[in-house]
Amino acid sequence: MNLEKLKETWRYEEQYSFKGWDFSHINNRMEEETLPWDYKKIVESYVNEEKILLDMGTGGGEFLLSLNPTEGKTYATEGYLPNIELCKEILTPHGIEVRPVYDDSNLPFEDDYFDIVINRHESFCLSEINRILKPGGIFITQQVGGTNNREISKFLLGEYPNITDIELNLDKILMEAKNIGMKIIDAGEYFPKTYFHDIGAFVFYARIIEWEFPDFSVERCFDKLIELQVKLEKQGYIETLEHRYFLIAEK
């Protein structure tokens, strides 16, 4: 095992440019277990050209564009500064209005405005979403739960490094929805595994998911990464346990 070569390779992955929310750089180097629901199909079953749609935390707009959204009736929010201008460049030509959001409890939209609000892996304030939905409007979200990657984060960085709220789970969001009078249409929770076929792919991933791997770096975690490399060479992969849940609710 050439340690210097490994460190050089992993540092390259650590510094690799990342834009939008595009993980294509490691698409063939990691595998995610299939969820028992299909978020895109769920969204597509509700979206049509007559409905006013909001995509919260649109990232680079990739998913939103895949829906062929209606010009003039589609909005997107984004709170990650490097993505805001990128979103405007990509989405505005499609008649999609992009608005920056820095406070989940103060969305820049009027009351009872949207037919559908979708949210994939973005933070939100449910009462504020309820405010901007029309009566009968639908909120669809898939979320990353609080136990996501927690064990491998702990292995790399020590006790309780993951700053994600461990209480983020389906029970909590169901209680919030019921408390504000929303009707639950469907919901589910699952703990899928993700497999990495080289440690460089994992380094790229961990560097981006910084709230789950705070202060992660190749230099700081090199000895632990070597342990993962040894494991990978024995079994052909390393794995991490993720946490997902979804909700469809009606105002």
Side-chain angles (χ1 to χ4, degrees):
M1 185 183 295
N2 187 327
L3 299 186
E4 286 304 314
K5 183 64 176 178
L6 284 173
K7 182 176 282 191
E8 179 184 347
T9 300
W10 296 341
R11 280 179 169 167
Y12 169 80
E13 297 291 350
E14 184 178 34
Q15 297 165 10
Y16 193 90
S17 177
F18 181 74
K19 293 182 179 180
W21 197 245
D22 180 9
F23 284 84
S24 59
H25 175 59
I26 58 172
N27 272 355
N28 298 320
R29 299 156 62 192
M30 65 177 285
E31 296 176 67
E32 295 180 285
E33 185 181 352
T34 301
L35 295 173
W37 62 84
D38 188 322
Y39 175 74
K40 184 176 182 182
K41 285 185 178 179
I42 292 171
V43 171
E44 288 176 331
S45 71
Y46 284 93
V47 171
N48 64 52
E49 62 183 15
E50 300 301 321
K51 294 179 179 178
I52 302 175
L53 170 68
L54 170 64
D55 181 23
M56 297 182 67
T58 196
E62 303 91 347
F63 177 80
L64 182 55
L65 288 178
S66 76
L67 301 173
N68 297 313
T70 306
E71 291 189 14
K73 289 191 174 183
T74 305
Y75 296 77
T77 65
E78 179 57 40
Y80 182 50
L81 191 58
N83 280 352
I84 292 172
E85 290 305 317
L86 176 66
C87 289
K88 289 180 178 179
E89 291 175 12
I90 293 173
L91 298 179
T92 301
H94 294 272
I96 300 170
E97 184 174 334
V98 179
R99 296 189 184 181
V101 166
Y102 305 109
D103 180 0
D104 293 336
S105 63
N106 186 24
L107 299 177
F109 302 103
E110 60 190 71
D111 296 356
D112 304 330
Y113 190 75
F114 291 101
D115 297 290
I116 303 172
V117 174
I118 63 174
N119 178 312
R120 184 177 181 271
H121 302 177
E122 177 72 4
S123 64
F124 62 87
C125 171
L126 194 54
S127 61
E128 183 68 352
I129 289 169
N130 193 57
R131 178 186 68 79
I132 65 173
L133 277 172
K134 295 177 180 178
I138 300 295
F139 176 51
I140 305 169
T141 186
Q142 177 179 295
Q143 288 293 313
V144 177
T147 64
N148 198 70
N149 291 321
R150 191 164 287 268
E151 287 304 310
I152 198 167
S153 177
K154 180 180 175 181
F155 169 77
L156 287 169
L157 296 161
E159 193 72 20
Y160 309 119
N162 191 318
I163 60 177
T164 304
D165 182 359
I166 199 168
E167 294 185 0
L168 289 174
N169 56 43
L170 181 60
D171 287 343
K172 183 176 181 180
I173 193 176
L174 288 176
M175 183 65 69
E176 289 179 5
K178 291 174 182 177
N179 286 343
I180 61 175
M182 297 187 83
K183 176 184 176 182
I184 309 301
I185 297 175
D186 200 2
E189 190 165 30
Y190 194 64
F191 299 87
K193 291 182 178 179
T194 293
Y195 302 91
F196 293 89
H197 299 293
D198 69 82
I199 301 303
F202 175 75
V203 167
F204 176 83
Y205 173 88
R207 190 263 299 179
I208 291 165
I209 315 296
E210 58 187 359
W211 52 93
E212 292 182 350
F213 300 91
D215 299 322
F216 169 83
S217 71
V218 170
E219 191 66 38
R220 177 182 178 186
C221 302
F222 187 68
D223 290 344
K224 293 294 187 180
L225 291 171
I226 291 297
E227 290 186 48
L228 292 177
Q229 178 69 26
V230 171
K231 183 176 181 180
L232 184 143
E233 290 179 2
K234 287 181 179 178
Q235 64 184 26
Y237 62 86
I238 62 166
E239 66 184 51
T240 179
L241 187 66
E242 300 194 330
H243 181 186
R244 299 287 185 272
Y245 58 96
F246 82 98
L247 171 73
I248 309 171
E250 179 182 344
K251 178 173 177 176

